[in-house]
């Protein structure tokens, strides 16, 4: 997201074997941060999971996620102006769509871009 909270890049990957929805959100943030290091100077990320923001702000309160949060803290070093913002689910429909589409794929899916490609939007309608 840019300074006006407009989406600059989006992406999706179908992760397998996550213990919970919150584990999946943490893994998705780590994946997004890692990819933004390669593709964009983006410093701001959005999520509809308030728990994820709480985890980033107070990692010591989430000992069962210690390893995952250490990975994110390590990545944060590369983002001097790192910011994570709560985006209400009603304003986050694009992310919901990408997540549901990725989960529906039976083979590996990895996508990063500025807009949803036609093949991805059509595949979700099939």
């Amino acid at each position: 997201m840019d300074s006006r909270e407009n989406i600059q890049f989006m992406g999706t990957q179908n992760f397998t074997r996550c213990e919970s929805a919150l584990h999946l959100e943490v893994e998705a943030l780590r994946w997004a941060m890692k990819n933004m290091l390669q593709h964009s100077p983006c410093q701001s990320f959005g999520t509809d999971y308030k728990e994820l923001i709480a985890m980033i702000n107070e990692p010591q309160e989430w000992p069962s996620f210690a390893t995952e949060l250490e990975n994110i803290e390590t990545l944060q070093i590369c983002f001097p102006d790192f910011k994570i913002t709560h985006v209400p689910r009603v304003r986050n429909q694009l992310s919901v769509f990408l997540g549901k589409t990725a989960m529906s794929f039976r083979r590996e899916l990895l996508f990063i871009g500025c807009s949803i490609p036609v093949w991805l939007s059509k595949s979700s309608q099939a």
Side-chain angles (χ1 to χ4, degrees):
M1 297 166 59
D2 64 16
S3 60
R4 292 177 293 211
E5 296 189 5
N6 294 316
I7 295 172
Q8 298 299 300
F9 270 97
M10 63 185 82
T12 193
Q13 180 179 11
N14 51 350
F15 298 103
T16 57
R17 300 184 187 174
C18 280
E19 295 176 39
S20 68
L22 194 50
H23 279 90
L24 186 61
E25 289 294 321
V26 171
E27 179 59 21
L29 176 61
R30 186 200 59 77
W31 178 81
M33 291 172 73
K34 200 170 157 186
N35 280 285
M36 287 305 98
L37 287 174
Q38 298 172 23
H39 298 287
S40 170
C42 173
Q43 299 280 313
S44 181
F45 299 85
T47 180
D48 57 14
Y49 263 73
K50 289 182 180 181
E51 294 90 351
L52 180 59
I53 296 170
M55 293 172 83
I56 301 303
N57 292 335
E58 297 179 38
Q60 68 282 359
E61 300 293 322
W62 300 82
S64 62
F65 288 86
T67 303
E68 295 90 341
L69 293 173
E70 283 176 21
N71 291 334
I72 289 178
E73 286 177 353
T74 301
L75 283 167
Q76 275 183 288
I77 294 167
C78 302
F79 295 92
D81 297 319
F82 176 83
K83 178 180 164 188
I84 187 163
T85 306
H86 179 254
V87 179
R89 200 169 226 340
V90 295
R91 287 189 38 229
N92 206 18
Q93 292 304 308
L94 183 57
S95 293
V96 172
F97 165 77
L98 288 172
K100 286 182 178 180
T101 301
M103 288 175 22
S104 72
F105 270 66
R106 291 191 177 97
R107 60 187 183 282
E108 185 177 4
L109 172 68
L110 175 64
F111 162 73
I112 299 169
C114 299
S115 60
I116 299 174
V118 173
W119 63 265
L120 186 57
S121 61
K122 284 187 177 178
S123 66
S124 68
Q125 297 169 2

